[in-house]
Amino acid sequence: MSVILRFAPSPNGALHLGHAFSALLNFELAKRMDGRFLLRIEDIDLARCTDGRINQMLDDMRWLGLEWEDEVLKQSSRFDAYQQKLDELKEKGWLYPSHASRTDIKKAVVIANQNASEPWSSDPDGAPLYPRHLLGEKEDPNQQNQTPPAWRLDMTAILNQHPKLKEQVWRELGPHPDGETILNQQMAMDAARWGDVILARKDCPTSYHLSVTLDDALQGITHIVRGQDLFWATGLHRLLQVLFDLPEPTYFHHGLINNDQGQKLSKSKQDISLKALREQGYSAADIRKASGIDDIDLDKLAASLLS
Ligand code: GLU
């Protein structure tokens, strides 16, 4: 089997130490696994992913000493392919339009909570599950609405039609995020916890979940090594792989680097960027050391990923 790993940043902000760790980890593992290392630019958010940010990102990566194959896939070149897959789901009746705003959803959930003993459930990202039955009038496909809808996966219909999906697992070689549960390489997909997730946004004709799943398959990625913030999203990605009959990669979700306040590093919180660290005089070797990559037994990890 030819091994292919990738680093897939979204250039909607600047790369930070957490990205450096993730990119270095993929790069080092690919070398040890005799595999290929690809770069994919996840720039579906055209307003935020500017050329300036993309170039900065490439520059940071080169400075870190990373080398990737010449052909870099940009998700912004793939909107037609994503649309084709959305159309397939629509034809099966598994995707429906929704004009509901966040406020509409919030209001519906407040009402639902008034009459219930249990609070309304949220998805793993903390967003309330879409209360479709309470917002029915918002999703008439023939409604003359000026704004484009979001397109949501009809999770109930899919799981009812394919009850076996409920038993699906993904292959996880990293630790469980709770730090205690031993995974034994199998993690329950449990896609229902995402509810009727958005696969195409109102402001963008696709979504992270759809694009990442299709592109990992397109690029033949065999091992997905990424941050633990995407651990639970993997259940949804596994569901999409099954629905589209795509190959199943192996996953390793690594721990995240926290800032001084103990929160995970984030572009939006303006955590210190690689560019800023560089301007302060830190070298690429300093960043490598600070990322903790050298504290990992990479040979052992590579061997376990190949097992
Ligand atoms: N583009 C995503 C991000 O920057 C990562 C996607 C992935 O590794 O699956 O957070």
Side-chain angles (χ1 to χ4, degrees):
M1 177 182 73
S2 85
V3 167
I4 311 183
L5 283 85
R6 49 71 162 179
F7 177 55
S10 308
N12 51 12
L15 295 188
H16 53 56
L17 195 58
H19 295 111
F21 173 77
S22 206
L24 284 165
L25 185 60
N26 274 284
F27 175 64
E28 295 293 347
L29 287 172
K31 267 201 275 186
R32 284 165 177 77
M33 293 162 82
D34 255 337
R36 296 166 59 194
F37 173 61
L38 309 184
L39 172 65
R40 181 169 71 236
I41 299 184
E42 303 216 318
D43 57 345
I44 57 172
D45 184 340
L46 296 177
R48 288 163 74 208
C49 299
T50 56
D51 283 348
R53 282 181 167 155
I54 295 175
N55 290 336
Q56 180 62 50
M57 202 184 74
L58 296 173
D59 193 43
D60 289 341
M61 289 179 60
R62 272 186 221 107
W63 174 75
L64 273 175
L66 297 163
E67 284 164 30
W68 54 92
E69 290 189 9
D70 284 344
E71 207 178 316
V72 174
L73 185 69
K74 271 188 169 182
Q75 291 192 323
S76 56
S77 70
R78 297 256 303 143
F79 287 124
D80 289 348
Y82 304 144
Q83 190 56 51
Q84 227 175 34
K85 291 293 178 188
L86 289 167
D87 290 343
E88 275 180 31
L89 293 176
K90 277 182 212 173
E91 268 164 41
K92 292 199 163 116
W94 289 343
L95 209 60
Y96 65 88
S98 153
H99 283 98
S101 64
R102 267 191 212 163
T103 315
D104 294 332
I105 296 172
K106 245 195 204 157
K107 278 190 200 156
V109 168
V110 168
I111 294 169
N113 274 338
Q114 281 166 357
N115 308 314
S117 50
E118 297 268 313
W120 190 260
S121 304
S122 295
D123 72 20
D125 285 344
L129 293 192
Y130 186 66
R132 184 181 188 185
H133 61 294
L134 302 174
L135 291 160
E137 79 281 6
K138 295 273 177 195
E139 41 178 89
D140 173 2
N142 303 316
Q143 197 175 306
Q144 291 300 308
N145 201 312
Q146 294 303 306
T147 55
W151 289 88
R152 290 183 176 269
L153 200 60
D154 190 340
M155 192 64 85
T156 315
I158 292 170
L159 296 179
N160 282 342
Q161 280 173 40
H162 297 281
K164 277 233 144 80
L165 279 174
K166 293 187 187 138
E167 293 153 32
Q168 230 3 285
V169 294
W170 85 76
R171 185 164 185 248
E172 174 69 50
L173 296 184
H176 191 283
D178 71 12
E180 283 169 26
T181 307
I182 305 293
L183 274 174
N184 204 16
Q185 302 199 2
Q186 293 215 328
M187 187 64 215
M189 178 176 94
D190 200 6
R193 64 187 300 175
W194 287 94
D196 291 357
V197 69
I198 291 181
L199 285 197
R201 289 165 17 191
K202 286 179 189 168
D203 59 345
C204 166
T206 182
S207 60
Y208 159 65
H209 298 301
L210 179 71
S211 307
V212 81
T213 307
L214 296 177
D215 291 348
D216 280 330
L218 178 80
Q219 294 190 288
I221 308 299
T222 54
H223 294 77
I224 296 183
V225 176
R226 63 184 177 191
Q228 236 172 17
D229 50 339
L230 294 167
F231 187 89
W232 297 111
T234 309
L236 184 55
H237 302 172
R238 185 75 202 109
L239 172 75
L240 295 173
Q241 284 157 8
V242 176
L243 295 182
F244 293 128
D245 202 14
L246 302 173
E248 179 184 357
T250 291
Y251 290 86
F252 180 89
H253 289 92
H254 60 74
L256 303 173
I257 299 178
N258 288 339
N259 64 18
D260 295 343
Q261 285 86 48
Q263 300 155 323
K264 77 169 178 127
L265 295 179
S266 121
K267 289 178 224 165
S268 49
K269 286 197 207 101
Q270 309 286 308
D271 274 310
I272 193 142
S273 64
L274 294 181
K275 176 170 181 265
L277 290 167
R278 206 166 143 182
E279 283 163 5
Q280 286 173 19
Y282 290 95
S283 69
D286 295 331
I287 299 299
R288 190 184 162 102
K289 188 153 187 285
S291 77
I293 185 90
D294 295 324
D295 305 332
I296 293 177
D297 186 341
L298 292 164
D299 291 331
K300 193 168 155 206
L301 181 53
S304 93
L305 290 179
L306 286 172
S307 67

